């Protein structure tokens, strides 16, 4: 639209300019015509004026001659005065004739040449005669004779003057008219040229309009093509992120099940098979994590979450994880600190550990012999303290294959690993270094490399890290919790038969946790991700009991229960037990009103489930709660302080007793790894003040955290779920900070206490 408006304005101004020039030319033409008429009139007037002067001169000549005649024949005083008067008038007329601009016409005439000398001689004689006193009659008589003699010549001069002047004026008029005609033709030609120029400009403008329209069309096509390419790229990135996430979740579940399988009796061959399967799953999971990180970075969704981080612990963890890989290749791995550095800093410990693991694992992968040194130092000498920013530098130095300049130029590019031979020899996705560089830059730092082919490489990580105070006193190193003893099958120990139980739950962590509890009890478990799937599964094959979550997508638990109760046959009579984190009386009343038979509030424990099932399906002796393993000293010490507010140690002990410590670790790692599916959906609407979108993700986070004993996180999510709709912007910001802090505290404490191995699993070497 702006282009069309500008085009119309251009045409308007072009038309106005052309019309103005045409009007100006027309006015000039009219003025020229008027000028021609005026010239002709002026010529006529000048011709009439010259004729009049010649006539008056001739008339005064005759009067002078008459006065002279009267004086000669009748000498009187009055006649003398009259003669002198007539002489003066004649001389003045003669002078006027000579002074006339057109008198030049007479100068070339023959009459002028013959008359003027004689006339001059006669007038001189007359003037002298008039000066005498008294006048001499004889002298005047001679002058009269001479005057009479030149009379015809004077008359001829007058006629010649009139004729010559007329010819000259006619010639001038013709010349002026010819010139005027030429001017008129020139003006007409100019008008024609103006018209042609206007048409040419109009044609050029039309061509420019067409060209502009074509250019705009081409630009629009390019814009659409660019938008399509960007959409395709976003779709690709989104697809990659979705697929990586969808694949990573079952892999985490598979790792958890493999951990559970390890706690069962296995022969040596089965143990080897299990270890191979677990190692392969870990390697594939690390590749999927790289793909997810790469897609998140490309989509701009990778965030850095700075929390208090203990740098010595991070370095110790990296050293502990990488040393077995180095020993496997008979390499020496040394960590050295050249200058005292900060201990507690504000940093994303997860991403920092990821960068260091990538750099060290690369050094191990591309080294066949020699030593790998990891040095840390400060790049500045500023005093350290809370609020100060320390320039932290880490160098990873190897004696491996090294790189030439061409290889270094491709080093930090996605899916690039030097050259094809290196990729075939060492493998890898070529994502590790590109992700590490992107993460370092997101944290305000950079990664550089110096290398020579055949002489090893030096990777340098530089990060500005703000110093902070320790959030809690550092505890002793984490120790393993003892695994629970296998359950015995004695009389009275299992009063329930093996039941077919359908678990309808939309949260993966909750599904895996509850299914693991039920399977440990000896029940058969089927899973449904939403109420619609639960209804279909019950209709297909009616289970003994349905554990139904209330808040699910597609169809919630209340709707699913009503749908089943409205049917006929066994599906309508199935036992349905509500399973929800809402323990409020009104929620219980809604569940019972919808047709549910019982109610269990999350977090649910194994004894609670078994007790409730025993009430419905058996009346034998109650089974005592399984003995919980005693927490290690570190956990006990921590629980006396801040841990009590963050973690529900009783709940965690019950979970570990039911599914083993390794099983709990698997579920906990899955929760922390799935930040994009659990915490971020709560943080995003809080930070954007979209309070209407808070309830579903807060409910999901609350359920997952409560099931795993993350007390503080569950309490924050519960508060957001029930009060978030009324939050103002300030409350949104406070709640976002609170839930982020609860998440970070739970993650840090679980890692320190050995409950979580998230980000502490050994990384396979990456390219």
């Amino acid at each position: 639209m702006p282009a069309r408006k500008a085009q119309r304005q251009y045409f308007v101004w072009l038309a106005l300019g052309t019309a103005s020039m045409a009007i100006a030319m027309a006015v000039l033409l009219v003025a020229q015509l008027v000028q021609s008429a005026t010239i002709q009139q002026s010529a006529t007037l000048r011709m009439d004026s010259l004729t009049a002067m010649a006539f008056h001169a001739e008339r005064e000549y005759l009067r002078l001659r008459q006065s002279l005649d009267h004086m000669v024949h009748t000498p009187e005083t009055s006649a003398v005065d009259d003669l002198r008067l007539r002489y003066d008038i004649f001389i003045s007329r003669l002078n006027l004739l000579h002074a006339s601009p057109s008198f030049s016409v007479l100068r070339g005439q023959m009459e002028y040449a013959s008359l003027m000398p004689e006339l001059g001689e006669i007038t001189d004689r007359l003037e002298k005669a008039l000066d005498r006193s008294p006048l001499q009659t004889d002298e005047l008589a001679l002058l009269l004779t001479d005057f009479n003699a030149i009379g015809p010549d004077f008359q001829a001069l007058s006629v010649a003057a009139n004729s010559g002047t007329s010819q000259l004026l006619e010639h001038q008029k013709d010349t002026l008219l010819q010139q005027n005609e030429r001017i008129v033709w020139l003006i007409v030609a100019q008008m024609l040229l103006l018209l042609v120029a206007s048409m040419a400009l109009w044609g050029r403008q039309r061509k420019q309009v067409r060209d502009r329209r074509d250019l705009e069309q081409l630009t629009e096509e390019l814009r659409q093509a660019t938008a399509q390419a960007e959409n395709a790229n976003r779709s690709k990135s989104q697809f990659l992120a979705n697929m990586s996430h969808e694949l990573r979740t079952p892999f985490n579940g598979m790792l958890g099940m493999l951990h559970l399988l390890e706690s069962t009796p296995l022969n040596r061959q089965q143990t080897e098979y299990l270890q191979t399967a677990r190692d392969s799953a870990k390697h594939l999971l690390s590749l999927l994590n790289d793909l997810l990180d790469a897609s998140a970075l490309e989509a701009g969704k990778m965030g850095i979450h700075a929390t208090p981080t203990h740098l010595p612990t991070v370095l110790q963890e990296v050293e502990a994880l990488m040393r077995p890989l180095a020993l496997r290749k008979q390499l020496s791995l040394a960590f050295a600190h050249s200058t005292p550095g900060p201990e507690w800093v504000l940093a994303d410990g997860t991403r920092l550990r990821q960068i260091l693991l990538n750099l060290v694992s690369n050094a191990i992968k591309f080294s066949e012999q020699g030593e790998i040194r990891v040095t840390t130092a400060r790049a500045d000498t500023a005093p350290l303290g809370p609020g100060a920013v320390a320039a932290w530098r880490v160098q990873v130095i190897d004696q491996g294959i090294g790189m030439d300049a061409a290889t270094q130029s491709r080093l930090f590019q996605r899916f690039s690993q030097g050259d094809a031979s290196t990729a075939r020899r060492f493998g890898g996705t070529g994502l590790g270094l590109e992700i590490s560089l992107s993460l370092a830059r997101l944290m305000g730092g950079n990664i550089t490399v110096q290398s020579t082919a055949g002489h090893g490489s030096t990777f340098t990580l530089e990060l500005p890290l703000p110093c902070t105070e320790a959030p809690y006193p550092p505890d002793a190193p984490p120790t393993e919790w003892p695994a629970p003893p296998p359950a015995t099958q004695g009389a009275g120990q299992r009063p329930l038969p093996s039941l077919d139980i359908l678990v309808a739950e939309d949260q993966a962590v909750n599904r895996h946790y509850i299914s693991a509890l039920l399977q440990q009890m000896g029940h058969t478990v089927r899973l449904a991700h939403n109420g619609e799937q639960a209804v279909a599964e019950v209709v297909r094959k009616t289970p003994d009991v349905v554990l139904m979550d209330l808040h699910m997508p597609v169809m919630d638990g209340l709707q699913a229960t009503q749908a089943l109760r409205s049917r006929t046959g066994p599906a309508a009579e199935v036992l349905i037990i509500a399973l929800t984190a809402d323990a409020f009386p009104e929620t219980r009343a809604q569940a019972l009103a919808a047709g549910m038979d019982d109610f269990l509030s999350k977090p649910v424990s194994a004894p609670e489930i078994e007790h409730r099932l025993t009430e419905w399906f058996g009346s034998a002796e109650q089974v005592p709660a399984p003995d919980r393993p005693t927490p290690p000293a570190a956990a006990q010490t921590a629980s006396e302080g801040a841990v009590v507010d963050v973690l529900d140690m009783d709940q965690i002990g019950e979970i570990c007793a039911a599914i083993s410590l390794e099983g709990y670790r698997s579920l906990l790692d899955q929760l922390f790894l799935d930040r994009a599916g659990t915490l971020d959906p709560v943080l995003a609407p809080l930070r954007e003040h979209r309070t209407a979108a808070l309830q579903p993700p807060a409910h999901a986070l609350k359920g997952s955290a409560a099931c795993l004993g993350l007390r503080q996180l569950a309490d924050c999510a519960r508060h957001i779920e029930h009060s978030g709709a009324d939050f103002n912007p300030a409350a949104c910001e406070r709640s976002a900070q609170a839930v982020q802090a609860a998440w970070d505290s739970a993650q840090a404490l679980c890692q320190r206490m050995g409950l979580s191995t998230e980000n502490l699993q050994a990384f396979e070497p990456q390219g």
Side-chain angles (χ1 to χ4, degrees):
M1 292 299 293
R4 294 181 179 177
K5 183 177 180 181
Q7 176 184 347
R8 288 196 297 269
Q9 291 178 348
Y10 179 85
F11 275 122
V12 169
W13 285 109
L14 179 62
L16 289 176
T18 304
S20 299
M21 293 182 67
I23 293 172
M25 290 293 181
V27 171
L28 183 60
L29 178 61
V30 172
Q32 195 66 36
L33 294 175
V34 173
Q35 180 183 0
S36 299
T38 303
I39 291 172
Q40 187 172 6
Q41 183 179 6
S42 176
T44 303
L45 291 175
R46 289 177 62 188
M47 181 182 67
D48 293 343
S49 175
L50 185 60
T51 301
M53 284 189 294
F55 170 76
H56 286 303
E58 182 183 3
R59 188 181 61 178
E60 292 302 323
Y61 160 76
L62 294 176
R63 287 180 176 178
L64 177 60
R65 190 180 64 177
Q66 184 180 0
S67 296
L68 184 60
D69 182 77
H70 181 73
M71 183 65 189
V72 170
H73 294 92
T74 309
E76 294 177 355
T77 303
S78 59
V80 174
D81 294 335
D82 182 65
L83 178 62
R84 287 177 177 172
L85 176 63
R86 290 301 168 188
Y87 173 79
D88 292 336
I89 294 176
F90 174 73
I91 293 301
S92 65
R93 293 295 182 182
L94 194 61
N95 290 334
L96 287 176
L97 184 63
H98 283 285
S100 175
S102 58
F103 185 74
S104 58
V105 177
L106 299 178
R107 295 183 186 277
Q109 299 294 328
M110 180 182 64
E111 290 81 356
Y112 176 83
S114 62
L115 175 63
M116 284 303 166
E118 186 176 359
L119 181 61
E121 189 270 334
I122 293 174
T123 55
D124 290 341
R125 288 165 52 198
L126 180 58
E127 183 177 4
K128 293 176 180 179
L130 292 176
D131 290 337
R132 295 183 181 93
S133 181
L135 296 179
Q136 300 295 323
T137 306
D138 295 339
E139 185 180 5
L140 294 177
L142 291 175
L143 288 173
L144 179 60
T145 303
D146 293 335
F147 263 95
N148 290 330
I150 64 172
D153 294 334
F154 204 105
Q155 186 177 8
L157 176 63
S158 179
V159 173
N162 291 336
S163 176
T165 303
S166 299
Q167 293 177 1
L168 178 61
L169 292 177
E170 188 69 23
H171 175 71
Q172 291 179 347
K173 183 191 70 173
D174 293 341
T175 302
L176 290 175
L177 290 176
Q178 290 176 1
Q179 187 69 20
N180 206 38
E181 185 178 359
R182 293 190 185 97
I183 293 174
V184 170
W185 281 110
L186 286 174
I187 293 174
V188 172
Q190 287 179 351
M191 295 181 66
L192 291 176
L193 288 175
L194 177 62
L195 180 60
V196 171
S198 299
M199 294 180 64
L201 287 174
W202 181 70
R204 181 178 180 182
Q205 177 63 21
R206 291 196 60 185
K207 182 177 182 300
Q208 288 180 345
V209 170
R210 290 195 300 268
D211 293 343
R212 185 184 298 110
R213 189 182 299 113
D214 295 340
L215 181 60
E216 290 175 352
Q217 182 178 359
L218 178 61
T219 302
E220 179 64 19
E221 292 175 355
L222 291 175
R223 189 191 64 78
Q224 292 178 358
T226 302
Q228 291 175 358
E230 291 176 351
N231 290 334
N233 189 48
R234 282 194 296 268
S235 299
K236 179 264 296 180
S237 299
Q238 187 63 40
F239 172 77
L240 183 62
N242 291 339
M243 289 305 298
S244 298
H245 179 72
E246 292 299 326
L247 291 173
R248 188 177 66 171
T249 299
F251 268 109
N252 278 313
M254 184 176 67
L255 286 172
M257 296 303 106
L258 290 175
H259 282 302
L260 293 176
L261 183 59
E262 281 184 320
S263 64
T264 63
L266 299 173
N267 59 37
R268 180 177 180 181
Q269 187 178 32
Q270 290 173 331
T271 302
E272 292 177 355
Y273 291 164
L274 179 61
Q275 183 64 36
T276 301
R278 188 171 64 176
D279 291 343
S280 299
K282 285 183 177 180
H283 177 60
L284 186 54
L285 184 59
S286 68
L287 298 181
L288 290 173
N289 289 337
D290 278 351
L291 290 174
L292 183 59
D293 286 344
S295 62
L297 286 168
E298 184 175 1
K301 297 181 178 180
M302 176 68 74
I304 297 298
H305 306 281
T307 58
T309 302
H310 193 231
L311 284 181
T313 300
V314 172
L315 294 172
Q316 291 172 7
E317 292 167 349
V318 173
E319 182 178 6
L321 290 171
M322 292 293 100
R323 189 168 297 282
L325 295 178
L327 293 176
R328 190 182 306 170
K329 297 186 67 174
Q330 298 182 350
L331 299 172
S332 174
L333 178 62
F335 280 69
H337 310 283
S338 59
T339 57
E343 291 195 3
W344 285 96
V345 296
L346 286 175
D348 192 327
T350 299
R351 300 305 176 187
L352 178 58
R353 193 179 296 108
Q354 181 178 354
I355 294 172
L356 295 176
L357 289 171
N358 274 326
L359 295 179
V360 178
S361 64
N362 265 342
I364 295 174
K365 180 169 64 173
F366 293 105
S367 298
E368 297 296 335
Q369 60 182 0
E371 181 186 37
I372 297 171
R373 289 186 295 114
V374 181
T375 65
T376 62
R378 288 178 56 201
D380 59 1
T381 58
L384 296 179
V389 178
W392 194 57
R393 177 185 296 163
V394 181
Q395 287 188 320
V396 180
I397 307 168
D398 65 66
Q399 299 174 352
I401 62 175
M403 295 170 287
D404 56 19
T407 304
Q408 294 180 48
S409 65
R410 299 189 299 268
L411 191 61
F412 293 100
Q413 298 178 11
R414 184 166 298 183
F415 303 113
S416 176
Q417 198 189 52
D419 54 38
S421 61
T422 302
R424 287 194 299 269
R425 180 181 176 187
F426 296 99
T429 61
L431 288 172
L433 287 178
E434 191 268 343
I435 293 174
S436 298
L437 178 61
S438 299
L439 291 175
R441 289 177 175 173
L442 284 176
M443 298 169 72
N446 195 21
I447 297 178
T448 57
V449 60
Q450 294 179 347
S451 182
T452 304
H455 295 83
S457 305
T458 299
F459 286 83
T460 302
L461 167 66
E462 294 183 336
L463 291 175
L465 299 178
C467 300
T468 186
E469 296 180 350
Y472 49 81
D475 296 316
T479 57
E480 295 290 336
W481 285 19
T488 59
Q489 300 287 339
Q493 290 297 316
R494 187 167 299 280
L496 289 174
S498 178
L499 301 175
D500 179 14
I501 301 177
L502 175 64
V503 178
E505 169 66 58
D506 63 315
Q507 292 296 315
V509 173
N510 297 347
R511 285 197 305 270
H512 294 164
Y513 166 62
I514 296 173
S515 63
L517 290 180
L518 295 173
Q519 288 170 358
Q520 288 283 348
M521 298 175 190
H523 302 299
T524 300
V525 181
R526 287 184 281 158
L527 301 175
H529 295 191
N530 54 60
E532 187 177 68
Q533 291 183 6
V535 172
E537 190 66 19
V538 171
V539 172
R540 183 185 69 83
K541 181 182 178 183
T542 304
D544 295 315
V545 62
V546 179
L547 298 181
M548 184 82 74
D549 184 29
L550 295 187
H551 301 278
M552 293 183 292
V554 184
M555 179 184 290
D556 62 29
L558 299 176
Q559 295 171 337
T561 300
Q562 293 170 348
L564 289 172
R565 296 304 186 218
S566 64
R567 303 181 68 87
T568 58
E573 304 297 330
V574 67
L575 176 65
I576 301 177
I577 299 177
L579 194 64
T580 179
D582 289 339
F584 298 102
E586 56 268 23
T587 305
R588 183 186 299 270
Q590 290 177 357
L592 297 177
M596 293 185 173
D597 301 292
D598 209 339
F599 189 93
L600 276 174
S601 60
K602 299 176 185 176
V604 64
S605 63
E608 289 175 333
I609 293 179
E610 191 160 5
H611 175 73
R612 196 59 53 89
L613 293 178
T614 300
E615 289 181 345
W616 284 98
F617 293 98
S619 58
E621 179 184 352
Q622 278 293 342
V623 179
D627 293 335
R628 293 198 303 269
T630 302
Q636 290 177 347
T637 302
S639 65
E640 293 175 359
V643 178
V644 175
D645 298 328
V646 178
L647 304 178
D648 186 345
M649 300 307 299
D650 292 336
Q651 171 73 7
I652 293 175
E654 292 177 358
I655 299 173
C656 292
I659 63 174
S660 80
L661 177 60
E662 292 298 328
Y664 177 74
R665 280 177 174 166
S666 175
L667 296 175
L668 199 60
D669 289 347
Q670 183 175 343
L671 173 70
F672 289 138
L673 284 169
D674 191 25
R675 176 192 178 100
T678 53
L679 179 62
D680 289 347
V682 178
L683 289 177
L686 281 174
R687 289 168 176 164
E688 297 169 5
H689 306 159
R690 293 185 288 109
T691 56
L694 282 173
Q695 197 274 337
H699 173 80
L701 178 61
K702 177 194 67 176
S704 299
C707 282
L708 295 177
L710 309 182
R711 172 182 292 162
Q712 186 181 47
L713 183 60
D715 290 343
C716 287
R718 183 179 295 106
H719 175 66
I720 294 171
E721 176 190 9
H722 292 290
S723 304
D726 299 326
F727 281 175
N728 56 28
C732 286
E733 295 296 333
R734 290 194 299 269
S735 297
Q737 295 174 3
V739 73
Q740 176 72 64
W743 175 281
D744 295 336
S745 298
Q747 186 177 22
L749 286 176
C750 288
Q751 289 179 5
R752 178 167 294 280
M753 296 169 62
L755 297 174
S756 171
T757 60
E758 195 270 319
N759 293 310
L760 300 180
Q761 300 171 2
F763 278 29
E764 290 295 329
Q766 301 175 24

